[in-house]
Amino acid sequence: MNKRITIKDIARELNIHHSTVSRALRNDPRVNEKTRDLVLAFAQEHEYQTNLNAVQLRGTANNAIALIVPNINHSFFSDIVSKLTNLAYEKGYVISVFQSNEKYLQEKEIINTIIQHNFAGVIVSIAKDTVNSDHFRLLEKFGIPFVFFDRVCEDINSPKVLVNNFEITFSATEHLINKGYKRIAHITGATEINVFRDRHRGYITAIQKHELEYKNPIVVTDEFTMELGKKIFSDLVDSQNTPDAIICSSIHLTMGILFETRKRAISIPTDLGLITFGNILASEIIQPQISSIEQPETEIAELSFELLEKLITDKNSLNINEDKVVKSQLIIRESC
Amino acid sequence: MNKRITIKDIARELNIHHSTVSRALRNDPRVNEKTRDLVLAFAQEHEYQTNLNAVQLRGTANNAIALIVPNINHSFFSDIVSKLTNLAYEKGYVISVFQSNEKYLQEKEIINTIIQHNFAGVIVSIAKDTVNSDHFRLLEKFGIPFVFFDRVCEDINSPKVLVNNFEITFSATEHLINKGYKRIAHITGATEINVFRDRHRGYITAIQKHELEYKNPIVVTDEFTMELGKKIFSDLVDSQNTPDAIICSSIHLTMGILFETRKRAISIPTDLGLITFGNILASEIIQPQISSIEQPETEIAELSFELLEKLITDKNSLNINEDKVVKSQLIIRESC
DNA sequence: TCTATTTTTGCACACGTTTGTATTTTTGAA
DNA sequence: TTCAAAAATACAAACGTGTGCAAAAATAGA
């Protein structure tokens, strides 16, 4: 491996000052066309690559955006990651994706890395674990703009892109009620997270509006796996309080439920109504087709990026307190 | 926002030289315990954060690993990304994920970014588009170690973690043959990519060994979507040459096939045998359960990271030409 | 108390780039 | 040919950190 070539190397080789080389490379009009061409040719031939560490040390603006998600291996997030990456690419930004693995500690360390590397901005959906938001205050302090999406820190004044979880869960629950279901369970995540709290509130509000009564209808879980879905459903069925319908916050859990209904010959939608959050790849294949609440990933990605870009280019152009709410969609299929 | 605090600020505030501060922060034994504690306390109180751009400019080693995948929004890759990220975190590395979006051009620009930011190493699976491998030579030239996994550049001398695509596809094909299927189609990706070429070879070898004859059995496609799966299968069925079995390289395509078989009342496995590559989230739910070739994501992630770490810590410790081959698994279910 | 040794701190430069200012070279008009 | 203006280049300092070496301070031994 050859040592990497620098501006000074080019300058020495061409017998000009390195400041001229710098200007030539950046197409500064002050440098003579001939020397510029000379420099560019030399740079290309020797595969010169800017040292961005030096550039950024100097304080020049950069185009690096960090994206933090709890779990890349989850179709909701991987969809958004994928879309955001393409969006950013078109606008000349480079996105680095970080996974917090649902851990506050990892999220915090990622934020530190972001500060230390001087990213231009951050788009983030927080970990389930995250109750303390000091690390986002740190980000604020260092003047790095950031935008939350989906899972947010409500006590931080930064733009947020939210999903209408309250309304859609209310509608979904009411739909089940109108279909005649009476013992409607809600399986969801920890209500410390705004997403699950909103869904919970939507569910409860509908239940109360229609004066349904049903004990312990809510199962809160930390993990979203198919195995756990099996277990939760089995426990529900084995309890005194078998539900006749379920609204489930996770596809993976829903898969477990489906597995158990097959095993136990519980018929959907006759014995059990079912609505799940999230887009199922196999939704058209699985029988019966499951009603679902589809997330507007594209809109979330676009809006998040748009807000961050505004913040990066002009921090004052944006009313920071104004949250954006995008609509998810209740698609009724055969499961209720 | 306050201006970020630097080592020099701390030095000035504490009336000592910044070199002492630097040493104190890095627990250098040459600095007095008292002054070190003083510095650390001050740093913590004022939330000092290293400027990694300065550190790296200086040439100190760093712990940033770049991971390039064609598409994050694909369970095979997102699985590996997720696992690699966690693995790296435990070892004190930070992983930035980049998505090439299956485009050579984007891949190239990502490589440039990686060079410009001086990453410590790279783990990469190349885009479908990538035929030219000059950008990897560039990486070599700049002395940044890298490891390929799954989709590789065969003309580049860097460690590769491969899947036994030839053997497993051979086995799968032979299994179908032994089950009595005679017109076995293969739906796969462009054979410029080693993965699909190996599968293709495995398939062909089995077909030839058993002296089967069947015209135009191979469908090559660039995109892996359910919609395309529907179309490809429809075309096959409508052609003179309807297959009685299919080995399909993509879950998404397989979903399309399944959809069409339902629509056309084609019975699996009676009318059509089916084996798909990839792990289906819903594999236990879909009826009939689809036989599949499951990818060893965990092993791929572990091996790739292990190889890269060796390269980073000691470039000579590794025989670069030695490729690792991990085994995928043929799981026979009800579809053949 | 004085010197030799050890411990602690300070100094100065380097990493690669950018940019305001000074200097040199070129150009054009008289 | 001469001189002012314009164009092109050179100079120098700065960004924040790390490190070899020199200097100073503290310690120990006689």
PDB file of all heavy atoms in Angstrom, chain A residues 46 49 52-53 73 79 89 106 112 116 141 259 262 284-285, chain B residues 46 49 52-53 73 79 89 101 106 112 116 141 259 262 284-285:
ATOM      1  N   HIS A  46      -3.350  10.166  -9.817  1.00  0.00           N
ATOM      2  CA  HIS A  46      -2.824   9.557  -8.593  1.00  0.00           C
ATOM      3  C   HIS A  46      -3.907   9.237  -7.578  1.00  0.00           C
ATOM      4  O   HIS A  46      -3.631   8.966  -6.424  1.00  0.00           O
ATOM      5  CB  HIS A  46      -1.759  10.468  -7.972  1.00  0.00           C
ATOM      6  CG  HIS A  46      -0.524  10.564  -8.801  1.00  0.00           C
ATOM      7  ND1 HIS A  46      -0.457  11.327  -9.930  1.00  0.00           N
ATOM      8  CD2 HIS A  46       0.685   9.953  -8.680  1.00  0.00           C
ATOM      9  CE1 HIS A  46       0.744  11.218 -10.471  1.00  0.00           C
ATOM     10  NE2 HIS A  46       1.457  10.391  -9.739  1.00  0.00           N
ATOM     11  N   GLN A  49      -7.682  11.517  -2.800  1.00  0.00           N
ATOM     12  CA  GLN A  49      -8.955  11.528  -2.083  1.00  0.00           C
ATOM     13  C   GLN A  49      -8.844  12.518  -0.933  1.00  0.00           C
ATOM     14  O   GLN A  49      -7.902  12.459  -0.144  1.00  0.00           O
ATOM     15  CB  GLN A  49      -9.264  10.144  -1.510  1.00  0.00           C
ATOM     16  CG  GLN A  49      -9.557   9.082  -2.549  1.00  0.00           C
ATOM     17  CD  GLN A  49     -11.039   8.995  -2.901  1.00  0.00           C
ATOM     18  OE1 GLN A  49     -11.860   9.686  -2.312  1.00  0.00           O
ATOM     19  NE2 GLN A  49     -11.363   8.146  -3.863  1.00  0.00           N
ATOM     20  N   LEU A  52     -11.266  13.944   4.763  1.00  0.00           N
ATOM     21  CA  LEU A  52     -12.405  14.662   5.349  1.00  0.00           C
ATOM     22  C   LEU A  52     -12.180  15.000   6.812  1.00  0.00           C
ATOM     23  O   LEU A  52     -12.791  15.924   7.342  1.00  0.00           O
ATOM     24  CB  LEU A  52     -13.682  13.845   5.176  1.00  0.00           C
ATOM     25  CG  LEU A  52     -14.311  13.918   3.789  1.00  0.00           C
ATOM     26  CD1 LEU A  52     -15.620  13.165   3.747  1.00  0.00           C
ATOM     27  CD2 LEU A  52     -14.538  15.372   3.391  1.00  0.00           C
ATOM     28  N   ASN A  53     -11.308  14.254   7.462  1.00  0.00           N
ATOM     29  CA  ASN A  53     -11.012  14.585   8.853  1.00  0.00           C
ATOM     30  C   ASN A  53     -10.364  15.961   8.939  1.00  0.00           C
ATOM     31  O   ASN A  53     -10.686  16.750   9.826  1.00  0.00           O
ATOM     32  CB  ASN A  53     -10.091  13.530   9.444  1.00  0.00           C
ATOM     33  CG  ASN A  53     -10.814  12.230   9.680  1.00  0.00           C
ATOM     34  OD1 ASN A  53     -11.915  12.222  10.207  1.00  0.00           O
ATOM     35  ND2 ASN A  53     -10.217  11.134   9.269  1.00  0.00           N
ATOM     36  N   ASN A  73     -33.368  -5.039  11.806  1.00  0.00           N
ATOM     37  CA  ASN A  73     -33.971  -6.288  11.388  1.00  0.00           C
ATOM     38  C   ASN A  73     -35.468  -6.321  11.712  1.00  0.00           C
ATOM     39  O   ASN A  73     -35.954  -7.221  12.379  1.00  0.00           O
ATOM     40  CB  ASN A  73     -33.242  -7.420  12.101  1.00  0.00           C
ATOM     41  CG  ASN A  73     -33.746  -8.756  11.673  1.00  0.00           C
ATOM     42  OD1 ASN A  73     -34.380  -8.872  10.631  1.00  0.00           O
ATOM     43  ND2 ASN A  73     -33.472  -9.752  12.487  1.00  0.00           N
ATOM     44  N   ASP A  79     -37.519  -0.725   6.197  1.00  0.00           N
ATOM     45  CA  ASP A  79     -38.172   0.006   5.116  1.00  0.00           C
ATOM     46  C   ASP A  79     -37.800   1.479   5.151  1.00  0.00           C
ATOM     47  O   ASP A  79     -37.428   2.067   4.143  1.00  0.00           O
ATOM     48  CB  ASP A  79     -39.701  -0.095   5.293  1.00  0.00           C
ATOM     49  CG  ASP A  79     -40.301  -1.120   4.363  1.00  0.00           C
ATOM     50  OD1 ASP A  79     -39.550  -1.979   3.863  1.00  0.00           O
ATOM     51  OD2 ASP A  79     -41.520  -1.066   4.147  1.00  0.00           O
ATOM     52  N   TYR A  89     -29.358  10.145  -0.604  1.00  0.00           N
ATOM     53  CA  TYR A  89     -28.372  10.005  -1.680  1.00  0.00           C
ATOM     54  C   TYR A  89     -28.659  10.982  -2.815  1.00  0.00           C
ATOM     55  O   TYR A  89     -27.756  11.640  -3.325  1.00  0.00           O
ATOM     56  CB  TYR A  89     -28.373   8.572  -2.199  1.00  0.00           C
ATOM     57  CG  TYR A  89     -27.457   8.354  -3.378  1.00  0.00           C
ATOM     58  CD1 TYR A  89     -26.079   8.244  -3.201  1.00  0.00           C
ATOM     59  CD2 TYR A  89     -27.960   8.273  -4.678  1.00  0.00           C
ATOM     60  CE1 TYR A  89     -25.240   8.055  -4.276  1.00  0.00           C
ATOM     61  CE2 TYR A  89     -27.133   8.080  -5.758  1.00  0.00           C
ATOM     62  CZ  TYR A  89     -25.763   7.969  -5.555  1.00  0.00           C
ATOM     63  OH  TYR A  89     -24.936   7.791  -6.625  1.00  0.00           O
ATOM     64  N   GLN A 106     -26.561   1.698  24.458  1.00  0.00           N
ATOM     65  CA  GLN A 106     -25.995   1.714  23.108  1.00  0.00           C
ATOM     66  C   GLN A 106     -26.407   2.987  22.379  1.00  0.00           C
ATOM     67  O   GLN A 106     -25.612   3.600  21.666  1.00  0.00           O
ATOM     68  CB  GLN A 106     -26.438   0.479  22.321  1.00  0.00           C
ATOM     69  CG  GLN A 106     -25.814  -0.815  22.833  1.00  0.00           C
ATOM     70  CD  GLN A 106     -25.971  -1.976  21.857  1.00  0.00           C
ATOM     71  OE1 GLN A 106     -25.909  -1.804  20.641  1.00  0.00           O
ATOM     72  NE2 GLN A 106     -26.158  -3.169  22.384  1.00  0.00           N
ATOM     73  N   ASN A 112     -22.794   9.717  21.293  1.00  0.00           N
ATOM     74  CA  ASN A 112     -21.436  10.205  21.526  1.00  0.00           C
ATOM     75  C   ASN A 112     -20.595  10.120  20.256  1.00  0.00           C
ATOM     76  O   ASN A 112     -19.904  11.076  19.896  1.00  0.00           O
ATOM     77  CB  ASN A 112     -20.762   9.405  22.642  1.00  0.00           C
ATOM     78  CG  ASN A 112     -21.217   9.850  24.010  1.00  0.00           C
ATOM     79  OD1 ASN A 112     -21.726  10.953  24.170  1.00  0.00           O
ATOM     80  ND2 ASN A 112     -21.056   8.993  25.000  1.00  0.00           N
ATOM     81  N   GLN A 116     -18.777  13.115  18.326  1.00  0.00           N
ATOM     82  CA  GLN A 116     -17.330  13.086  18.145  1.00  0.00           C
ATOM     83  C   GLN A 116     -16.927  13.153  16.679  1.00  0.00           C
ATOM     84  O   GLN A 116     -15.858  13.637  16.337  1.00  0.00           O
ATOM     85  CB  GLN A 116     -16.758  11.831  18.803  1.00  0.00           C
ATOM     86  CG  GLN A 116     -16.846  11.889  20.324  1.00  0.00           C
ATOM     87  CD  GLN A 116     -16.587  10.555  20.975  1.00  0.00           C
ATOM     88  OE1 GLN A 116     -16.310   9.573  20.311  1.00  0.00           O
ATOM     89  NE2 GLN A 116     -16.685  10.511  22.297  1.00  0.00           N
ATOM     90  N   LYS A 141     -26.874  20.596  22.809  1.00  0.00           N
ATOM     91  CA  LYS A 141     -25.792  21.447  23.287  1.00  0.00           C
ATOM     92  C   LYS A 141     -24.692  21.588  22.240  1.00  0.00           C
ATOM     93  O   LYS A 141     -24.100  22.648  22.089  1.00  0.00           O
ATOM     94  CB  LYS A 141     -25.206  20.864  24.573  1.00  0.00           C
ATOM     95  CG  LYS A 141     -24.073  21.707  25.129  1.00  0.00           C
ATOM     96  CD  LYS A 141     -23.451  21.114  26.364  1.00  0.00           C
ATOM     97  CE  LYS A 141     -22.106  21.782  26.592  1.00  0.00           C
ATOM     98  NZ  LYS A 141     -21.384  21.247  27.742  1.00  0.00           N
ATOM     99  N   PHE A 259     -50.205 -19.252  14.477  1.00  0.00           N
ATOM    100  CA  PHE A 259     -49.721 -20.622  14.621  1.00  0.00           C
ATOM    101  C   PHE A 259     -50.573 -21.393  15.634  1.00  0.00           C
ATOM    102  O   PHE A 259     -50.999 -22.519  15.378  1.00  0.00           O
ATOM    103  CB  PHE A 259     -48.258 -20.587  15.068  1.00  0.00           C
ATOM    104  CG  PHE A 259     -47.649 -21.950  15.219  1.00  0.00           C
ATOM    105  CD1 PHE A 259     -47.084 -22.582  14.127  1.00  0.00           C
ATOM    106  CD2 PHE A 259     -47.640 -22.597  16.444  1.00  0.00           C
ATOM    107  CE1 PHE A 259     -46.515 -23.845  14.250  1.00  0.00           C
ATOM    108  CE2 PHE A 259     -47.086 -23.854  16.581  1.00  0.00           C
ATOM    109  CZ  PHE A 259     -46.523 -24.476  15.486  1.00  0.00           C
ATOM    110  N   ARG A 262     -54.163 -22.258  14.531  1.00  0.00           N
ATOM    111  CA  ARG A 262     -54.170 -23.446  13.662  1.00  0.00           C
ATOM    112  C   ARG A 262     -54.098 -24.708  14.501  1.00  0.00           C
ATOM    113  O   ARG A 262     -54.847 -25.653  14.315  1.00  0.00           O
ATOM    114  CB  ARG A 262     -52.952 -23.409  12.737  1.00  0.00           C
ATOM    115  CG  ARG A 262     -52.917 -22.229  11.822  1.00  0.00           C
ATOM    116  CD  ARG A 262     -53.299 -22.609  10.395  1.00  0.00           C
ATOM    117  NE  ARG A 262     -53.639 -21.406   9.657  1.00  0.00           N
ATOM    118  CZ  ARG A 262     -52.821 -20.835   8.770  1.00  0.00           C
ATOM    119  NH1 ARG A 262     -51.652 -21.375   8.515  1.00  0.00           N
ATOM    120  NH2 ARG A 262     -53.203 -19.755   8.140  1.00  0.00           N
ATOM    121  N   GLU A 284     -50.918 -11.585   1.431  1.00  0.00           N
ATOM    122  CA  GLU A 284     -51.848 -12.053   0.407  1.00  0.00           C
ATOM    123  C   GLU A 284     -51.901 -13.580   0.359  1.00  0.00           C
ATOM    124  O   GLU A 284     -52.775 -14.158  -0.262  1.00  0.00           O
ATOM    125  CB  GLU A 284     -51.431 -11.521  -0.956  1.00  0.00           C
ATOM    126  CG  GLU A 284     -51.553 -10.015  -1.067  1.00  0.00           C
ATOM    127  CD  GLU A 284     -51.229  -9.523  -2.467  1.00  0.00           C
ATOM    128  OE1 GLU A 284     -51.850  -9.998  -3.422  1.00  0.00           O
ATOM    129  OE2 GLU A 284     -50.328  -8.684  -2.595  1.00  0.00           O
ATOM    130  N   ILE A 285     -50.948 -14.212   1.004  1.00  0.00           N
ATOM    131  CA  ILE A 285     -50.836 -15.667   0.909  1.00  0.00           C
ATOM    132  C   ILE A 285     -51.511 -16.361   2.085  1.00  0.00           C
ATOM    133  O   ILE A 285     -52.138 -17.396   1.956  1.00  0.00           O
ATOM    134  CB  ILE A 285     -49.348 -16.092   0.899  1.00  0.00           C
ATOM    135  CG1 ILE A 285     -48.580 -15.300  -0.147  1.00  0.00           C
ATOM    136  CG2 ILE A 285     -49.211 -17.577   0.689  1.00  0.00           C
ATOM    137  CD1 ILE A 285     -49.010 -15.576  -1.544  1.00  0.00           C
TER     138      ILE A 285
ATOM    139  N   HIS B  46     -18.060  19.610  32.194  1.00  0.00           N
ATOM    140  CA  HIS B  46     -18.349  20.432  31.023  1.00  0.00           C
ATOM    141  C   HIS B  46     -18.654  19.596  29.792  1.00  0.00           C
ATOM    142  O   HIS B  46     -18.659  20.100  28.670  1.00  0.00           O
ATOM    143  CB  HIS B  46     -17.195  21.392  30.759  1.00  0.00           C
ATOM    144  CG  HIS B  46     -17.059  22.445  31.807  1.00  0.00           C
ATOM    145  ND1 HIS B  46     -16.517  22.186  33.040  1.00  0.00           N
ATOM    146  CD2 HIS B  46     -17.444  23.752  31.817  1.00  0.00           C
ATOM    147  CE1 HIS B  46     -16.549  23.300  33.769  1.00  0.00           C
ATOM    148  NE2 HIS B  46     -17.113  24.251  33.056  1.00  0.00           N
ATOM    149  N   GLN B  49     -16.141  16.277  24.804  1.00  0.00           N
ATOM    150  CA  GLN B  49     -16.195  15.157  23.867  1.00  0.00           C
ATOM    151  C   GLN B  49     -15.004  15.268  22.922  1.00  0.00           C
ATOM    152  O   GLN B  49     -14.782  16.321  22.310  1.00  0.00           O
ATOM    153  CB  GLN B  49     -17.488  15.200  23.040  1.00  0.00           C
ATOM    154  CG  GLN B  49     -18.743  14.949  23.829  1.00  0.00           C
ATOM    155  CD  GLN B  49     -19.110  13.476  23.894  1.00  0.00           C
ATOM    156  OE1 GLN B  49     -18.456  12.632  23.301  1.00  0.00           O
ATOM    157  NE2 GLN B  49     -20.174  13.170  24.633  1.00  0.00           N
ATOM    158  N   LEU B  52     -12.969  13.556  17.169  1.00  0.00           N
ATOM    159  CA  LEU B  52     -12.337  12.421  16.488  1.00  0.00           C
ATOM    160  C   LEU B  52     -11.708  12.816  15.160  1.00  0.00           C
ATOM    161  O   LEU B  52     -10.812  12.146  14.670  1.00  0.00           O
ATOM    162  CB  LEU B  52     -13.352  11.296  16.286  1.00  0.00           C
ATOM    163  CG  LEU B  52     -13.623  10.461  17.526  1.00  0.00           C
ATOM    164  CD1 LEU B  52     -14.557   9.309  17.202  1.00  0.00           C
ATOM    165  CD2 LEU B  52     -12.326   9.914  18.102  1.00  0.00           C
ATOM    166  N   ASN B  53     -12.180  13.891  14.591  1.00  0.00           N
ATOM    167  CA  ASN B  53     -11.560  14.345  13.352  1.00  0.00           C
ATOM    168  C   ASN B  53     -10.107  14.734  13.598  1.00  0.00           C
ATOM    169  O   ASN B  53      -9.230  14.429  12.794  1.00  0.00           O
ATOM    170  CB  ASN B  53     -12.332  15.522  12.774  1.00  0.00           C
ATOM    171  CG  ASN B  53     -13.668  15.095  12.214  1.00  0.00           C
ATOM    172  OD1 ASN B  53     -13.747  14.111  11.496  1.00  0.00           O
ATOM    173  ND2 ASN B  53     -14.715  15.816  12.559  1.00  0.00           N
ATOM    174  N   ASN B  73     -33.331  -3.434   3.232  1.00  0.00           N
ATOM    175  CA  ASN B  73     -34.713  -3.858   3.329  1.00  0.00           C
ATOM    176  C   ASN B  73     -34.913  -5.254   2.728  1.00  0.00           C
ATOM    177  O   ASN B  73     -35.754  -5.481   1.882  1.00  0.00           O
ATOM    178  CB  ASN B  73     -35.571  -2.834   2.596  1.00  0.00           C
ATOM    179  CG  ASN B  73     -37.022  -3.143   2.704  1.00  0.00           C
ATOM    180  OD1 ASN B  73     -37.425  -3.895   3.588  1.00  0.00           O
ATOM    181  ND2 ASN B  73     -37.791  -2.586   1.808  1.00  0.00           N
ATOM    182  N   ASP B  79     -30.816  -9.115   8.605  1.00  0.00           N
ATOM    183  CA  ASP B  79     -30.407 -10.052   9.645  1.00  0.00           C
ATOM    184  C   ASP B  79     -28.910  -9.940   9.914  1.00  0.00           C
ATOM    185  O   ASP B  79     -28.472  -9.833  11.055  1.00  0.00           O
ATOM    186  CB  ASP B  79     -30.694 -11.487   9.182  1.00  0.00           C
ATOM    187  CG  ASP B  79     -31.957 -12.029   9.799  1.00  0.00           C
ATOM    188  OD1 ASP B  79     -32.771 -11.216  10.264  1.00  0.00           O
ATOM    189  OD2 ASP B  79     -32.133 -13.262   9.809  1.00  0.00           O
ATOM    190  N   TYR B  89     -20.321  -4.187  18.434  1.00  0.00           N
ATOM    191  CA  TYR B  89     -20.506  -3.371  19.631  1.00  0.00           C
ATOM    192  C   TYR B  89     -19.821  -4.007  20.835  1.00  0.00           C
ATOM    193  O   TYR B  89     -19.142  -3.332  21.604  1.00  0.00           O
ATOM    194  CB  TYR B  89     -21.997  -3.210  19.904  1.00  0.00           C
ATOM    195  CG  TYR B  89     -22.306  -2.455  21.184  1.00  0.00           C
ATOM    196  CD1 TYR B  89     -22.174  -1.085  21.242  1.00  0.00           C
ATOM    197  CD2 TYR B  89     -22.702  -3.137  22.328  1.00  0.00           C
ATOM    198  CE1 TYR B  89     -22.440  -0.389  22.404  1.00  0.00           C
ATOM    199  CE2 TYR B  89     -22.976  -2.456  23.496  1.00  0.00           C
ATOM    200  CZ  TYR B  89     -22.842  -1.083  23.533  1.00  0.00           C
ATOM    201  OH  TYR B  89     -23.098  -0.401  24.682  1.00  0.00           O
ATOM    202  N   ASN B 101     -27.988   0.177  -2.625  1.00  0.00           N
ATOM    203  CA  ASN B 101     -29.213   0.173  -3.425  1.00  0.00           C
ATOM    204  C   ASN B 101     -29.010  -0.595  -4.730  1.00  0.00           C
ATOM    205  O   ASN B 101     -29.584  -0.248  -5.751  1.00  0.00           O
ATOM    206  CB  ASN B 101     -29.636   1.616  -3.706  1.00  0.00           C
ATOM    207  CG  ASN B 101     -31.106   1.725  -4.021  1.00  0.00           C
ATOM    208  OD1 ASN B 101     -31.881   0.834  -3.679  1.00  0.00           O
ATOM    209  ND2 ASN B 101     -31.483   2.789  -4.685  1.00  0.00           N
ATOM    210  N   GLN B 106     -23.445   3.978  -6.659  1.00  0.00           N
ATOM    211  CA  GLN B 106     -23.600   4.311  -5.249  1.00  0.00           C
ATOM    212  C   GLN B 106     -22.555   3.576  -4.419  1.00  0.00           C
ATOM    213  O   GLN B 106     -21.971   4.132  -3.494  1.00  0.00           O
ATOM    214  CB  GLN B 106     -25.009   3.970  -4.770  1.00  0.00           C
ATOM    215  CG  GLN B 106     -26.072   4.882  -5.366  1.00  0.00           C
ATOM    216  CD  GLN B 106     -27.408   4.783  -4.623  1.00  0.00           C
ATOM    217  OE1 GLN B 106     -27.445   4.639  -3.413  1.00  0.00           O
ATOM    218  NE2 GLN B 106     -28.491   4.890  -5.361  1.00  0.00           N
ATOM    219  N   ASN B 112     -15.681   5.718  -1.650  1.00  0.00           N
ATOM    220  CA  ASN B 112     -14.972   6.993  -1.550  1.00  0.00           C
ATOM    221  C   ASN B 112     -15.159   7.618  -0.172  1.00  0.00           C
ATOM    222  O   ASN B 112     -14.198   8.061   0.456  1.00  0.00           O
ATOM    223  CB  ASN B 112     -15.453   7.960  -2.628  1.00  0.00           C
ATOM    224  CG  ASN B 112     -14.831   7.662  -3.982  1.00  0.00           C
ATOM    225  OD1 ASN B 112     -13.798   6.988  -4.060  1.00  0.00           O
ATOM    226  ND2 ASN B 112     -15.448   8.123  -5.047  1.00  0.00           N
ATOM    227  N   GLN B 116     -12.350   8.540   2.504  1.00  0.00           N
ATOM    228  CA  GLN B 116     -12.199   9.923   2.942  1.00  0.00           C
ATOM    229  C   GLN B 116     -12.348  10.071   4.452  1.00  0.00           C
ATOM    230  O   GLN B 116     -11.771  10.953   5.055  1.00  0.00           O
ATOM    231  CB  GLN B 116     -13.209  10.815   2.205  1.00  0.00           C
ATOM    232  CG  GLN B 116     -12.885  10.945   0.726  1.00  0.00           C
ATOM    233  CD  GLN B 116     -14.031  11.541  -0.074  1.00  0.00           C
ATOM    234  OE1 GLN B 116     -15.072  11.871   0.479  1.00  0.00           O
ATOM    235  NE2 GLN B 116     -13.842  11.667  -1.376  1.00  0.00           N
ATOM    236  N   LYS B 141      -5.450   0.039  -2.174  1.00  0.00           N
ATOM    237  CA  LYS B 141      -4.371   1.012  -2.296  1.00  0.00           C
ATOM    238  C   LYS B 141      -4.276   1.892  -1.053  1.00  0.00           C
ATOM    239  O   LYS B 141      -3.196   2.245  -0.621  1.00  0.00           O
ATOM    240  CB  LYS B 141      -4.607   1.875  -3.530  1.00  0.00           C
ATOM    241  CG  LYS B 141      -3.531   2.920  -3.713  1.00  0.00           C
ATOM    242  CD  LYS B 141      -3.780   3.811  -4.908  1.00  0.00           C
ATOM    243  CE  LYS B 141      -2.881   5.032  -4.789  1.00  0.00           C
ATOM    244  NZ  LYS B 141      -3.063   5.986  -5.875  1.00  0.00           N
ATOM    245  N   PHE B 259     -49.081 -17.001  -4.698  1.00  0.00           N
ATOM    246  CA  PHE B 259     -50.316 -16.277  -4.974  1.00  0.00           C
ATOM    247  C   PHE B 259     -50.997 -16.819  -6.233  1.00  0.00           C
ATOM    248  O   PHE B 259     -52.203 -17.074  -6.242  1.00  0.00           O
ATOM    249  CB  PHE B 259     -50.004 -14.781  -5.136  1.00  0.00           C
ATOM    250  CG  PHE B 259     -51.207 -13.937  -5.372  1.00  0.00           C
ATOM    251  CD1 PHE B 259     -51.943 -13.440  -4.306  1.00  0.00           C
ATOM    252  CD2 PHE B 259     -51.625 -13.629  -6.662  1.00  0.00           C
ATOM    253  CE1 PHE B 259     -53.058 -12.649  -4.518  1.00  0.00           C
ATOM    254  CE2 PHE B 259     -52.739 -12.844  -6.885  1.00  0.00           C
ATOM    255  CZ  PHE B 259     -53.456 -12.354  -5.815  1.00  0.00           C
ATOM    256  N   ARG B 262     -52.556 -20.322  -5.947  1.00  0.00           N
ATOM    257  CA  ARG B 262     -53.859 -20.270  -5.296  1.00  0.00           C
ATOM    258  C   ARG B 262     -54.924 -19.848  -6.294  1.00  0.00           C
ATOM    259  O   ARG B 262     -55.990 -20.459  -6.415  1.00  0.00           O
ATOM    260  CB  ARG B 262     -53.840 -19.230  -4.164  1.00  0.00           C
ATOM    261  CG  ARG B 262     -52.850 -19.537  -3.091  1.00  0.00           C
ATOM    262  CD  ARG B 262     -53.520 -20.091  -1.849  1.00  0.00           C
ATOM    263  NE  ARG B 262     -52.522 -20.723  -1.000  1.00  0.00           N
ATOM    264  CZ  ARG B 262     -52.016 -20.172   0.099  1.00  0.00           C
ATOM    265  NH1 ARG B 262     -52.449 -18.997   0.494  1.00  0.00           N
ATOM    266  NH2 ARG B 262     -51.117 -20.811   0.810  1.00  0.00           N
ATOM    267  N   GLU B 284     -44.110 -21.044   9.025  1.00  0.00           N
ATOM    268  CA  GLU B 284     -44.899 -22.022   9.776  1.00  0.00           C
ATOM    269  C   GLU B 284     -46.393 -21.819   9.578  1.00  0.00           C
ATOM    270  O   GLU B 284     -47.193 -22.672   9.939  1.00  0.00           O
ATOM    271  CB  GLU B 284     -44.568 -21.934  11.266  1.00  0.00           C
ATOM    272  CG  GLU B 284     -43.129 -22.304  11.581  1.00  0.00           C
ATOM    273  CD  GLU B 284     -42.871 -22.299  13.086  1.00  0.00           C
ATOM    274  OE1 GLU B 284     -43.573 -23.010  13.801  1.00  0.00           O
ATOM    275  OE2 GLU B 284     -41.976 -21.552  13.521  1.00  0.00           O
ATOM    276  N   ILE B 285     -46.755 -20.688   9.043  1.00  0.00           N
ATOM    277  CA  ILE B 285     -48.163 -20.342   8.918  1.00  0.00           C
ATOM    278  C   ILE B 285     -48.722 -20.706   7.546  1.00  0.00           C
ATOM    279  O   ILE B 285     -49.835 -21.163   7.407  1.00  0.00           O
ATOM    280  CB  ILE B 285     -48.359 -18.818   9.115  1.00  0.00           C
ATOM    281  CG1 ILE B 285     -47.679 -18.364  10.389  1.00  0.00           C
ATOM    282  CG2 ILE B 285     -49.822 -18.466   9.116  1.00  0.00           C
ATOM    283  CD1 ILE B 285     -48.258 -18.966  11.631  1.00  0.00           C
TER     284      ILE B 285
END
